[in-house]
Amino acid sequence: MNDERLIRTAGLAYVRDRRMIQARSVGKSAFYMAGGKIDPGETAEQALHREIREELDAAVIDVRLLGVFECGAWGHPEGTPLEITCFLADLSDDPTPTSEIAEIRYFTRDEYAAMPDVAPGSLMVFDRMKALDLID
């Protein structure tokens, strides 16, 4: 995508007991992929390491690319494009929400899809993870 409104993010697909972690930021209603925006000059993997430390107070280890997902950005003006470079990874410690994260929760694909507010990018990752038989 070549759009000045494009939001480029790095996301973490971390699984525990066949459920994938999602984070809800303070003041937001939807759960999203843990991770965040890629800063200028930063690679997606560098952003993943920084964002997961900032959000979950843990380091990512054994990082491998899951894929790049493109959709509209939930919670932004209509037509704002989002690109999530998503990685499978393990964590060095149990994830602990930091001050910018109100809550973390693990979901199956259907549990996430049943939430009142669903981020399209997260749902795309849930679908890929279920197709790979990594989550229920």
Side-chain angles (χ1 to χ4, degrees), residues 73-120:
W74 192 89
H76 290 270
E78 183 72 28
T80 302
L82 172 69
E83 178 184 276
I84 305 169
T85 301
C86 192
F87 296 91
L88 292 163
D90 292 320
L91 295 174
S92 62
D93 298 294
D94 282 338
T96 304
T98 62
S99 60
E100 65 185 64
I101 301 300
E103 181 181 7
I104 58 173
R105 196 183 299 176
Y106 294 85
F107 295 93
T108 65
R109 187 264 179 220
D110 292 343
E111 288 167 346
Y112 184 76
M115 294 295 290
D117 293 319
V118 174

